[in-house]
Amino acid sequence: MRQSPPPIAYLLPNLFTAASIFTGFYTIALALEGSFDTAAWFIFLALIFDGLDGRVARMTNTASHFGVEFDSLADIVAFGVAPALLLYLYVGESYGRIGIVVSALFIIFGAVRLARFNVTTSRIEPSVFIGLPIPTAAIMISIAVLLLDRYKEFEVLKVAVLPLGILLSILMVSNIRYPSFKKMNFKTFHFIRFLIALIVVAMGIFIYPIEALAVLAAGYLLYGPLRASFYLLRRMIHRG
């Protein structure tokens, strides 16, 4: 008979969730101060905390309904409100009501994405996500800010961040499928190939952190629409 974990064990994963909320709030504070690049990096930190809480809960067998709801609320703060405010203060404020609408849509559609995920999934982690995960959308906003801050000669492209926000919002509530890495079976991987790929990616991030992260995030973002287009084209060919 499996022994249930002590009550204090349930505290650990929820502490990581609380850290994600705090990091999201600090991102907002930094954005209000005009420290946009630092605020963007703190969204990455929130992503780390968000990834740790679920894994710690599964490792310690302390997953709970409270933890799931707490995590969902944390996501709307760290990956909904924080990046939306960063988007608005960084570029949207200069475009009046358009900037307000785009930033608000990011939060609203992000909340819809989270609500749909909560009501359509059980305790078992899904093998795919329906719609772009809200943390990925938040990371894309962060990367756009970091790239434009690094390459100031392309600051004229700043306005393109608003259409990016609209695209991300639509992808979050779409039916496009994205891979979930939570149920990856590492036993089926070719160890040497996986190790080599991991080393190459790590070296790329070490040398060009922003650019490498941008390539990885863009690859994941484009995977869904390209996969959907491929299957749509294949069905049209078979029908023809």
Side-chain angles (χ1 to χ4, degrees), residues 10 13-14 17 53-54 57 62-74:
Y10 288 87
N14 290 310
T17 305
D53 61 2
T62 55
S64 64
H65 183 67
F66 172 83
V68 172
E69 296 300 324
F70 191 28
D71 180 66
S72 185
L73 292 172

Side-chain angles (χ1 to χ4, degrees), residues 11-21 46 48-50 52-54 56:
L11 184 64
L12 186 57
N14 290 310
L15 280 176
F16 283 113
T17 305
S20 179
I21 296 176
I48 294 173
F49 287 135
D50 180 65
L52 286 173
D53 61 2
V56 169

Side-chain angles (χ1 to χ4, degrees), residues 1-2 36 56 81 88 103 117 132 134 147 181 223 234:
M1 184 176 179
R2 179 182 294 181
F36 301 122
V56 169
V81 178
Y88 176 72
S103 302
F117 177 81
L132 182 70
I134 188 172
L147 282 174
F181 299 110
Y223 173 85
R234 192 170 70 172

Side-chain angles (χ1 to χ4, degrees):
M1 184 176 179
R2 179 182 294 181
Q3 186 178 4
S4 60
I8 196 171
Y10 288 87
L11 184 64
L12 186 57
N14 290 310
L15 280 176
F16 283 113
T17 305
S20 179
I21 296 176
F22 176 80
T23 307
F25 174 76
Y26 193 53
T27 298
I28 294 171
L30 288 168
L32 289 171
E33 293 174 357
S35 302
F36 301 122
D37 56 337
T38 308
W41 281 118
F42 266 86
I43 290 180
F44 278 92
L45 182 59
L47 180 66
I48 294 173
F49 287 135
D50 180 65
L52 286 173
D53 61 2
R55 282 165 177 77
V56 169
R58 286 188 290 271
M59 288 173 60
T60 57
N61 194 30
T62 55
S64 64
H65 183 67
F66 172 83
V68 172
E69 296 300 324
F70 191 28
D71 180 66
S72 185
L73 292 172
D75 286 351
I76 197 60
V77 174
F79 307 123
V81 178
L85 189 62
L86 176 61
L87 171 65
Y88 176 72
L89 294 175
Y90 184 68
V91 62
E93 193 174 18
S94 303
Y95 294 89
R97 293 186 178 182
I98 294 177
I100 293 174
V101 168
V102 173
S103 302
L105 277 179
F106 189 91
I107 302 174
I108 295 168
F109 284 5
V112 171
R113 167 69 177 79
L114 288 170
R116 183 176 66 174
F117 177 81
N118 289 344
V119 301
T120 56
T121 57
S122 62
R123 290 179 177 271
I124 301 174
E125 296 289 354
S127 57
V128 295
F129 293 122
I130 307 299
L132 182 70
I134 188 172
T136 307
I139 288 300
M140 289 303 302
I141 296 294
S142 300
I143 288 174
V145 172
L146 290 170
L147 282 174
L148 288 171
D149 183 73
R150 185 179 184 89
Y151 298 98
K152 297 187 184 297
E153 61 270 24
F154 296 109
E155 197 170 6
V156 67
L157 298 176
K158 202 173 181 179
V159 64
V161 182
L162 284 179
L164 174 63
I166 296 174
L167 175 64
L168 294 171
S169 300
I170 294 172
L171 286 175
M172 281 192 286
V173 295
S174 71
N175 289 323
I176 294 177
R177 295 172 179 264
Y178 283 90
S180 170
F181 299 110
K182 294 182 179 181
K183 290 188 71 175
M184 290 177 64
N185 185 6
F186 290 97
K187 293 180 181 179
T188 62
F189 284 3
H190 191 287
F191 176 75
I192 299 300
R193 292 178 184 174
F194 181 70
L195 179 62
I196 292 174
L198 195 61
I199 291 173
V200 170
V201 170
M203 291 299 102
I205 293 176
F206 177 76
I207 299 172
Y208 301 106
I210 299 173
E211 294 82 354
L213 290 170
V215 170
L216 291 173
Y220 185 83
L221 179 71
L222 293 173
Y223 173 85
L226 290 176
R227 178 184 179 276
S229 300
F230 171 76
Y231 282 109
L232 178 62
L233 182 61
R234 192 170 70 172
R235 283 198 301 267
M236 291 174 63
I237 292 174
H238 287 324
R239 289 176 183 176

